[in-house]
């Protein structure tokens, strides 16, 4: 099945109003024809502004959501609030959330479940540390992370999930996975989805790669059979993000 190429830009906690306006203006002036799905995820404080200024086909994502829809949870934003604001996507399970903010596999799964229930589409991130890769347990780690999510959602929910494979050792380090390393994990994740959820879900789910993607390496990585796009951090703040979004041109 043909899976639509997907390129997401995760701004993380970066960007002033003016800096983000420059990025949005550049994207609005770029030749993006909608053949690739392009999503940008600005910090929460800029979400509504970006939503009101960015033009199709570019869409917007939140970088996180809590697993409750309202209440005494100071500092959090809820899936219902994100949906109500008109933001269609949310990134969940990013390694920075897992390692710095205590998002356990169960918390990530609860957030995914609550976000899907609120009508959001989810970019669900998984990835191994360098120690785990060197110990030869990459597949165990990423399949366990995805398994925690699979346990709490239904087969039809997978229509609204993009899986981002982001090796922790490649995020923000300039040390990109080789095409072969990434393809191997993507292929094994797809096989795992096929056998654990269903062959249809394995076939249709987009599995994107994240970790030091830039304009120079996106063509090579994007040519791998099971790499359906990218989640881009640092380079999403630069003009080269447009080149990455046009990988399939
Ligand atoms: C990310 O934050 O999801 C990411 C992949 O970052 P970078 O592209 O900077 O490695």
């Amino acid at each position: 099945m043909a899976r639509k190429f997907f390129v997401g830009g995760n701004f993380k906690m970066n960007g002033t109003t003016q800096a983000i306006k420059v990025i949005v203006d550049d994207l609005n002036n770029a030749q993006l024809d909608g053949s690739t799905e392009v999503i940008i995820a600005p910090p929460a404080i800029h979400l509504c502004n970006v939503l009101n200024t960015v033009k199709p086909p570019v869409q917007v994502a939140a970088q996180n959501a809590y697993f409750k829809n309202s209440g005494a949870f100071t500092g959090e934003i809820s899936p219902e609030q994100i949906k109500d604001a008109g933001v269609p996507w949310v990134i969940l399970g990013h390694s920075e959330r897992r390692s710095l903010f205590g998002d356990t596999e169960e918390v990530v799964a609860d957030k995914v479940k609550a976000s899907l229930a609120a009508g959001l589409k989810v970019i669900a991130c998984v990835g191994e540390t360098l120690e785990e890769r060197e110990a030869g347990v990459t597949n165990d780690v990423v399949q366990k992370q995805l398994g925690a999510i699979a346990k709490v959602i239904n087969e039809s929910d997978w229509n609204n999930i993009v899986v981002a494979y982001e090796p922790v050792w490649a995020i923000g380090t300039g040390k990109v996975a080789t095409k072969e390393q990434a393809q191997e994990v993507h292929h094994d994740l797809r096989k795992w989805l096929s056998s654990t959820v269903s062959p249809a879900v394995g076939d249709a789910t987009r599995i994107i790669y994240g970790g030091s993607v830039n304009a120079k390496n996106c063509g090579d990585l994007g040519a791998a059979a099971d790499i359906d796009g990218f989640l881009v951090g640092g380079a999403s703040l630069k003009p080269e993000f447009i080149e990455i979004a046009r990988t399939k041109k």
Side-chain angles (χ1 to χ4, degrees):
M1 100 114 50
R3 295 179 294 268
K4 189 170 183 176
F5 209 69
F6 183 105
V7 174
N10 173 16
F11 296 180
K12 314 194 191 202
M13 198 179 70
N14 292 301
T16 59
T17 304
Q18 178 55 27
I20 289 176
K21 181 182 182 307
V22 170
I23 296 171
V24 169
D25 285 349
D26 279 354
L27 282 165
N28 286 344
N29 291 326
Q31 303 296 311
L32 300 172
D33 62 6
S35 56
T36 289
E37 206 164 356
V38 181
I39 276 85
I40 53 172
I45 194 158
H46 296 297
L47 272 174
C48 289
N49 189 27
V50 169
L51 197 63
N52 291 332
T53 51
V54 81
K55 295 193 186 136
V58 181
Q59 302 175 69
V60 179
Q63 295 178 14
N64 183 34
Y66 197 50
F67 52 77
K68 300 272 191 187
N69 276 321
S70 62
F73 305 105
T74 302
E76 295 293 321
I77 56 172
S78 80
E80 272 186 4
Q81 289 172 318
I82 294 167
K83 178 73 182 171
D84 173 63
V87 175
W89 287 90
V90 62
I91 299 172
L92 294 170
H94 192 280
S95 74
E96 287 149 20
R97 296 293 323 172
R98 292 179 192 262
S99 66
L100 301 174
F101 302 103
D103 282 12
T104 62
E105 285 172 5
E106 291 69 32
V107 166
V108 172
D110 285 346
K111 288 180 169 190
V112 171
K113 186 177 178 181
S115 295
L116 292 167
L120 294 173
K121 292 185 268 193
V122 171
I123 302 165
C125 305
V126 298
E128 83 287 2
T129 62
L130 185 58
E131 294 70 37
E132 289 164 339
R133 172 159 283 267
E134 286 174 350
V137 295
T138 295
N139 277 339
D140 299 334
V141 169
V142 297
Q143 291 169 12
K144 186 161 169 286
Q145 290 170 338
L146 206 52
I149 293 169
K151 229 189 272 174
V152 300
I153 65 172
N154 301 315
E155 186 178 338
S156 60
D157 288 326
W158 288 94
N159 294 331
N160 293 315
I161 295 185
V162 168
V163 175
Y165 167 56
E166 298 207 298
V168 178
W169 48 270
I171 296 179
T173 58
K175 209 176 157 204
V176 66
T178 64
K179 178 180 169 184
E180 292 71 30
Q181 283 174 321
Q183 165 59 25
E184 187 179 17
V185 178
H186 284 229
H187 174 262
D188 290 345
L189 274 172
R190 193 175 306 291
K191 243 173 70 185
W192 181 88
L193 278 171
S194 292
S195 59
T196 311
V197 186
S198 73
V201 166
D203 195 30
T205 302
R206 287 171 294 180
I207 306 175
I208 63 174
Y209 167 80
S212 298
V213 173
N214 59 34
K216 287 205 181 85
N217 58 33
C218 63
D220 184 42
L221 286 162
D226 289 292
I227 297 182
D228 304 314
F230 307 114
L231 186 55
V232 184
S236 70
L237 299 163
K238 302 178 187 164
E240 72 181 283
F241 182 64
I242 290 166
E243 286 178 65
I244 302 169
R246 290 168 54 82
T247 300
K248 288 294 181 183
K249 284 284 120 198

